[in-house]
């Protein structure tokens, strides 16, 4: 889990990113946000960082060798980690906002404010690291402002952003740079299937990092896919027998703290014929989804 207790937000900027596909504009800020008192800064830090609640770790996808000259978020943050100054921060934030704008083509993608922040001394996996946060606030709310003017009660309304809800965020940690960095993210706006991967794939181009979570989820999906595809009535396996194996798969992963493939085959599959079929299915799964399933992991 990420810990921002000791961290400091040294840079912050925001830009307005419209829907390019609908002809909306892009408004880029010329300079950083400055705070005149600590309370507002603390409120903004909490607003930006409170969405990171998962231990799931991502990494940037490897760049296509043919994409020379096409810049990505990975390129921009790498440059910023090299040059930690205000000028570079502003310039790279503008590049990232332009890149986000270029991906905002689907008619159902809302316009919004893109925030970008630079944090130092984030505690992640026992290591103090710097991080670059990129966030998108898509919803504006209407607020009532009750006041008393010249002795009379009045109420005015205004539009603004609630600090209780932030739709999208990503934090790129300055560690494991050669392996695509360590990245945490959240996306609370994936309600429309037609643009569900806009933040993760189109804008960020990230994938799950090879961690115990990654291995666990892929092994479970492969094992359950094997049950569904191979343990069928056409292969003389009854529905109840298939459900029994599926339950054994789930129970195995629930009970164990470490995964051992040989132990899994012995306890869950038991029969040599079933194990042979499982091995063939596992090989096909790895090729189809371009993953490497390890024999042992936590």
């Amino acid at each position: 889990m990420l810990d921002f207790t000791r961290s400091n937000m040294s840079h912050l900027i925001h830009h307005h990113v419209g829907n390019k596909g609908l002809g909306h504009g892009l408004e880029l800020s010329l300079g950083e946000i400055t705070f005149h008192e600590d309370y507002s800064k603390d409120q903004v830090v909490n607003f930006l960082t409170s969405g990171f609640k998962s231990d799931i770790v991502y990494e940037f996808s490897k760049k296509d060798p043919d994409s020379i000259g096409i810049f990505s978020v990975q390129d921009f943050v790498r440059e910023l980690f090299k040059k930690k100054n205000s000028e570079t921060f502003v310039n790279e934030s503008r590049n990232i906002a332009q890149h986000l704008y270029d991906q905002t083509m689907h008619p159902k993608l809302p316009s919004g404010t893109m925030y970008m922040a630079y944090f130092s001394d984030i505690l992640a996996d026992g290591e103090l690291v710097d991080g670059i946060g990129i966030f998108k606030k898509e919803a504006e709310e209407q607020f009532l402002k009750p006041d008393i003017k010249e002795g009379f009660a009045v109420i005015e309304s205004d539009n603004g952003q609630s600090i209780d809800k932030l739709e999208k965020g990503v934090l790129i940690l300055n560690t494991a740079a050669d392996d695509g960095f360590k990245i945490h993210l959240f996306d609370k706006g994936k309600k429309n299937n037609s643009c569900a991967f806009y933040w993760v794939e189109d804008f960020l181009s990230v994938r799950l990092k090879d961690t115990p979570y990654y291995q666990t989820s892929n092994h479970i999906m492969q094992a359950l896919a094997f049950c569904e595809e191979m343990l069928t009535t056409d292969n003389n396996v009854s529905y109840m027998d298939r459900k029994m194996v599926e339950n054994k798969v789930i129970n195995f992963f629930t009970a164990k703290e470490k995964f051992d493939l040989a132990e899994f085959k012995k306890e869950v599959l038991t029969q040599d014929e079933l194990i042979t079929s499982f091995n063939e299915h596992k090989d096909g799964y790895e090729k189809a989804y371009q993953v490497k399933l390890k024999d042992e992991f936590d």
Side-chain angles (χ1 to χ4, degrees):
M1 188 66 71
L2 298 168
D3 185 351
F4 292 88
T5 305
R6 297 175 56 179
S7 69
N8 174 55
M9 184 176 68
S10 56
H11 302 280
L12 177 66
I13 196 169
H14 69 74
H15 309 283
H16 180 77
V17 179
N19 185 303
K20 185 176 181 178
L22 296 177
H24 300 164
L26 170 67
E27 297 179 57
L28 298 175
S29 175
L30 296 174
E32 295 183 45
I33 298 169
T34 56
F35 293 94
H36 300 291
E37 37 88 19
D38 290 338
Y39 178 75
S40 295
K41 183 177 180 180
D42 291 342
Q43 289 284 90
V44 171
V45 169
N46 184 64
F47 164 61
L48 296 178
T49 61
S50 60
F52 297 109
K53 301 181 184 300
S54 172
D55 288 330
I56 302 172
V57 181
Y58 293 79
E59 65 186 4
F60 285 116
S61 303
K62 287 184 170 57
K63 294 196 70 174
D64 187 336
D66 296 330
S67 64
I68 296 175
I70 301 175
F71 294 100
S72 64
V73 173
Q74 179 177 186
D75 299 312
F76 301 134
V77 299
R78 194 181 295 275
E79 183 67 18
L80 182 51
F81 280 134
K82 290 178 183 177
K83 302 175 183 177
K84 306 172 188 177
N85 57 62
S86 183
E87 181 182 359
T88 304
F89 178 80
V90 172
N91 289 338
E92 298 305 342
S93 77
R94 289 165 64 92
N95 288 332
I96 289 172
Q98 179 68 57
H99 178 63
L100 178 59
Y101 179 65
D102 290 339
Q103 309 310 312
T104 312
M105 296 295 293
H106 194 282
K108 292 189 177 180
L109 285 172
S111 300
T113 302
M114 189 203 90
Y115 292 90
M116 183 164 135
Y118 193 101
F119 301 94
S120 59
D121 292 337
I122 303 166
L123 183 61
D125 298 326
E127 179 185 14
L128 286 175
V129 296
D130 287 2
I132 296 169
I134 306 166
F135 311 88
K136 189 181 178 195
K137 175 65 176 173
E138 296 175 333
E140 285 205 344
E141 293 81 20
Q142 192 169 43
F143 294 92
L144 295 178
K145 298 193 297 183
D147 199 0
I148 296 178
K149 294 183 178 180
E150 299 179 358
F152 292 93
V154 297
I155 292 180
E156 298 175 341
S157 64
D158 200 357
N159 289 331
Q161 295 182 355
S162 168
I163 61 172
D164 295 328
K165 184 173 66 175
L166 185 60
E167 287 82 9
K168 290 174 169 60
V170 60
L171 184 71
I172 301 108
L173 300 175
N174 192 17
T175 184
D178 293 338
D179 296 321
F181 295 96
K182 283 186 178 180
I183 299 170
H184 293 258
L185 62 83
F186 62 87
D187 184 358
K188 299 176 182 177
K190 300 189 296 183
K191 294 179 180 179
N192 190 297
N193 290 334
S194 59
C195 48
F197 301 106
Y198 145 77
W199 183 252
V200 175
E201 295 184 4
D202 298 340
F203 170 55
L204 294 171
S205 187
V206 296
R207 62 187 181 187
L208 282 170
K209 204 171 187 71
D210 191 349
T211 61
Y213 175 91
Y214 173 86
Q215 287 292 330
T216 301
S217 60
N218 270 294
H219 268 280
I220 291 175
M221 286 191 290
Q222 184 268 317
L224 294 179
F226 165 75
C227 293
E228 184 175 342
E229 295 167 15
M230 305 306 296
L231 304 185
T232 64
T233 53
D234 290 341
N235 291 330
N236 298 319
V237 179
S238 70
Y239 173 80
M240 291 305 297
D241 285 342
R242 189 192 93 191
K243 298 303 294 184
M244 182 180 68
V245 177
E246 289 177 348
N247 289 335
K248 288 169 71 175
V249 168
I250 299 302
N251 291 337
F252 182 90
F253 279 95
T254 303
K256 305 289 183 179
E257 293 188 2
K258 292 182 179 293
F259 177 84
D260 182 283
L261 182 60
E263 184 180 20
F264 174 82
K265 293 176 183 178
K266 181 179 179 181
E267 293 187 16
V268 176
L269 303 175
T270 66
Q271 303 171 27
D272 290 342
E273 184 178 349
L274 209 56
I275 292 172
T276 299
S277 179
F278 177 85
N279 290 339
E280 293 173 354
H281 185 275
K282 178 173 170 290
D283 290 341
Y285 183 93
E286 290 178 313
K287 291 176 183 176
Y289 293 97
Q290 297 182 323
V291 298
K292 177 59 180 174
L293 300 179
K294 295 179 179 178
D295 292 349
E296 297 180 6
F297 57 89
D298 291 335

